[in-house]
Amino acid sequence: MKHYLQFQDFTADEYEYLLKRATLIKQKFKGYVTHHTLADRTLAMIFEKASTRTRVSFEAGMYQLGGSVVHLTTGDSQLGRAEPIEDSARVISRMTDLVMIRTFGQDKIERFAAHSRVPVINGLTNEFHPCQILADIFTFIEHRGSIQGKTVAWVGDGNNMANTWLQAANLLGFKVHVSTPSGYGIDEQLAFSGRAYDKGCYQLFSDPHEACKGADLVTTDVWTSMGYEEENEKRKKAFAEWCVDLDMMAVAKKDALFMHCLPAHRGEEVQAEVIDGPQSVVWDEAENRMHVQKALMEYLLIGKQG
Ligand code: CP
Ligand code: NVA
């Protein structure tokens, strides 16, 4: 049994399979072709933080695979009344086939997985967001072909998205140019969970414009992630120069793409002209969450197909 708790839990070969499978699954969805590979299987979705995309993509995706879902939040379950995470894992995993969790610390999802009888998927933690980066890479490949050898510019917070981009670069052979305000940088130990990595997979830049130079993809995220709301005012000041604008896009490659995991704050981390402009692929990126996660759920439950 496999879990998907961080990007580096899978090998490059497994990603090659998943991305190919997601292409087929997307084609079938677009052609209204039934694809019930997970008939009678149940996915439990546990949300300790808000969500639009993750909720809809997992829920719609599971129904499209012929399965069903159970939706739990902290507020409407015993999770919010301090039932131990280990006990919740034991119980929920006896009644369902697969669990997706969005929570705070990575340690929580690891404790859940350690006591679960079924595979567990990380639907975002403070440290990682592997399903999003899987969708982002799928989207890049759809638009531009292989991501190997390419350069991704990360402008903004050294957060869960940034950490996951670094794991992906290390595993799949591309490079990340990282520019964060001082005090909001990447913690390497945390980003790679203490595992060995190729130091060349990323480079730090104090100037976000320098980070964008020659990039094939420019990407950013909110200045204040969920769980850090009390730092919002302080962050607004610190991040003022880390807004992806037309000048940054102009120094990237001519055919560079812009991505944002969403939700976005126009006028903060990205100018409206960029996110709503011709280089932005954010709507494909959001839609692709569903296609890649269908491939992921299938893989965790029934292994490689075809
Ligand atoms: N990108 C993403 O995970 O969006 P939600 O917070 O809406 O799920
Ligand atoms: N970094 C953001 C991503 C939201 C999808 C957060 O954790 O809130």
Side-chain angles (χ1 to χ4, degrees):
M1 183 179 77
K2 273 177 180 294
H3 299 297
Y4 191 57
L5 306 185
Q6 48 183 301
F7 199 88
Q8 62 188 8
D9 284 348
F10 284 0
T11 63
D13 282 351
E14 285 175 305
Y15 282 113
E16 198 183 323
Y17 167 76
L18 279 177
L19 293 164
K20 223 171 107 193
R21 186 72 179 166
T23 305
L24 175 90
I25 286 173
K26 181 170 182 177
Q27 275 166 5
K28 289 183 81 172
F29 173 79
K30 296 289 177 187
Y32 299 97
V33 179
T34 302
H35 184 78
H36 282 178
T37 48
L38 297 186
D40 299 330
R41 307 290 179 115
T42 306
L43 165 73
M45 305 191 295
I46 303 172
F47 285 96
E48 297 213 277
K49 290 175 177 170
S51 169
T52 297
R53 280 144 288 270
T54 303
R55 164 98 194 255
V56 177
S57 56
F58 270 105
E59 187 157 341
M62 192 56 174
Y63 283 123
Q64 289 162 22
L65 292 171
S68 55
V69 298
V70 176
H71 176 248
L72 288 164
T73 66
T74 312
D76 65 14
S77 67
Q78 301 290 6
L79 285 160
R81 297 181 60 249
E83 178 165 12
I85 195 98
E86 292 80 2
D87 292 357
S88 304
R90 289 180 180 109
V91 172
I92 294 166
S93 70
R94 279 182 180 235
M95 302 180 201
T96 60
D97 302 283
L98 183 62
V99 180
M100 188 288 303
I101 310 180
R102 166 168 289 196
T103 187
F104 294 88
Q106 184 73 8
D107 61 302
K108 263 186 133 176
I109 201 169
E110 279 168 5
R111 281 162 54 208
F112 191 104
H115 295 86
S116 172
R117 287 183 166 189
V118 302
V120 177
I121 297 172
N122 182 345
L124 182 146
T125 54
N126 290 349
E127 291 84 355
F128 302 114
H129 198 2
C131 294
Q132 182 68 54
I133 300 302
L134 182 56
D136 294 4
I137 289 168
F138 181 83
T139 308
F140 185 88
I141 295 169
E142 259 190 336
H143 284 268
R144 295 287 181 264
S146 173
I147 196 163
Q148 215 177 348
K150 298 284 182 356
T151 300
V152 175
W154 175 264
V155 176
D157 195 13
N159 64 10
N160 43 12
M161 285 289 296
N163 289 339
T164 312
W165 270 116
L166 292 201
Q167 289 195 357
N170 182 52
L171 203 64
L172 302 180
F174 60 91
K175 189 165 183 171
V176 187
H177 284 182
V178 179
S179 181
T180 67
S182 86
Y184 297 94
I186 305 244
D187 174 341
E188 288 175 27
Q189 279 300 104
L190 191 141
F192 293 98
S193 296
R195 293 191 213 168
Y197 64 94
D198 168 14
K199 295 248 178 219
C201 75
Y202 78 100
Q203 196 179 338
L204 301 177
F205 293 83
S206 46
D207 178 351
H209 292 86
E210 288 298 317
C212 292
K213 271 191 188 156
D216 299 278
L217 166 63
V218 177
T219 185
T220 186
D221 189 8
V222 291
W223 289 343
T224 305
S225 284
M226 292 180 279
Y228 298 83
E229 289 80 3
E230 75 283 3
E231 298 175 15
N232 197 26
E233 286 314 306
K234 197 172 135 218
R235 283 172 171 265
K236 273 189 174 170
K237 289 191 191 96
F239 282 79
E241 304 298 316
W242 278 262
C243 170
V244 177
D245 57 17
L246 291 172
D247 291 344
M248 289 187 201
M249 293 309 293
V251 295
K253 287 223 176 94
K254 243 191 161 59
D255 68 345
L257 299 174
F258 172 78
M259 288 190 200
H260 188 313
C261 63
L262 307 175
H265 298 82
R266 290 167 176 77
E268 290 192 9
E269 74 274 6
V270 61
Q271 259 185 355
E273 291 80 352
V274 172
I275 193 167
D276 299 319
Q279 286 165 281
S280 172
V281 290
V282 296
W283 314 123
D284 289 343
E285 184 188 358
E287 176 190 325
N288 284 335
R289 285 288 302 277
M290 185 175 80
H291 306 305
V292 298
Q293 288 162 194
K294 284 166 77 177
L296 173 67
M297 291 192 285
E298 230 190 22
Y299 179 62
L300 290 172
L301 286 178
I302 56 173
K304 286 189 181 170
Q305 301 298 297

